[in-house]
Amino acid sequence: ITLFLLFITVSLTVLALDIDNPVDRYKLRNQKLAELADAKTADDSIRLLYDAFDLASRRANAKIGWQLLETARRANNNYVVNDALRLIANRYLENDSIQHVVMQMAVQLPDNELKRETITFIKMLSTWSNARKMSEKDRQITLQQMLSAFSNNQPRNLYDEIYLLHSVCVYLSQ
């Protein structure tokens, strides 16, 4: 019954707030962060952090992303660790230093499909960001090198192929 009443209270609170209103989003985000103190399990904390991340402004969600990562690490939740790394990489799209740190964290994860997906995603973000900063001449040179590499050496696995094809598309589209 306590859980049911909590659900009703939260539901009514959400209905009373205008999610498109930044002030209401801020209030709801702070409510989710305050609820962290009462979270019984790591999964409860993770759920609240995801909610707060989604409600936060772009500037504020960076800090929450790092909190989510650390909570997932302590809980040994590999799925959320990978997801948090992708969220952080996306948040810091233009910051090469943070991208490097996030990539190093991803490389150190246990070897599995999730890790390969995360590394590929981070590499794709980095390529997109770098391509936007390049001159047209540099993009053309890089594109020629990639096409040559693709013709001469087929990718070793699905993720290498995805990365290479995405990179070619990015360089063509800029």
Side-chain angles (χ1 to χ4, degrees):
I1 286 191
T2 304
L3 186 59
F4 177 71
L5 290 175
L6 178 64
F7 174 75
I8 295 295
T9 304
V10 170
S11 297
L12 291 175
T13 303
V14 169
L15 290 175
L17 295 173
D18 178 7
I19 297 300
D20 292 330
N21 179 336
V23 173
D24 285 347
R25 288 175 64 92
Y26 179 78
K27 288 178 185 176
L28 189 54
R29 183 208 66 184
N30 286 345
Q31 177 185 342
K32 295 294 181 183
L33 292 174
E35 290 174 27
L36 282 172
D38 297 328
K40 302 280 189 250
T41 67
D43 287 339
D44 293 340
S45 295
I46 287 169
R47 180 183 47 78
L48 291 167
L49 286 167
Y50 268 122
D51 290 347
F53 183 90
D54 290 340
L55 291 164
S57 66
R58 184 153 173 81
R59 190 171 67 208
N61 72 8
K63 181 179 177 184
I64 298 169
W66 290 107
Q67 286 178 279
L68 179 62
L69 175 62
E70 289 309 312
T71 302
R73 278 183 166 171
R74 285 192 309 271
N76 292 318
N77 187 328
N78 195 42
Y79 178 83
V80 177
V81 167
N82 278 273
D83 193 42
L85 288 172
R86 291 189 300 266
L87 290 171
I88 293 167
N90 194 32
R91 169 57 185 88
Y92 288 100
L93 185 61
E94 299 295 328
N95 188 323
D96 293 342
S97 298
I98 299 289
Q99 291 286 334
H100 179 75
V101 168
V102 170
M103 178 60 84
Q104 291 308 308
M105 290 176 172
V107 166
Q108 294 173 8
L109 294 172
D111 193 31
N112 56 37
E113 290 295 309
L114 202 52
K115 172 185 176 175
R116 289 185 281 281
E117 290 170 10
T118 299
I119 289 172
T120 302
F121 180 82
I122 295 168
K123 285 170 44 178
M124 289 166 57
L125 285 177
S126 182
T127 297
W128 183 77
S129 177
N130 290 336
R132 290 179 49 209
K133 299 173 192 172
M134 286 182 170
S135 68
E136 180 63 27
K137 182 180 177 183
D138 289 341
R139 273 196 300 274
Q140 292 298 323
I141 291 169
T142 302
L143 180 60
Q144 288 173 351
Q145 291 170 344
M146 294 175 91
L147 291 173
S148 176
F150 185 72
S151 297
N152 297 333
N153 304 325
Q154 289 297 314
R156 294 183 308 262
N157 60 51
L158 174 65
Y159 298 104
D160 288 345
E161 186 171 351
I162 290 169
Y163 171 69
L164 185 58
L165 292 174
H166 174 267
S167 297
V168 168
C169 292
V170 165
Y171 284 107
L172 284 173
S173 71
Q174 295 298 318

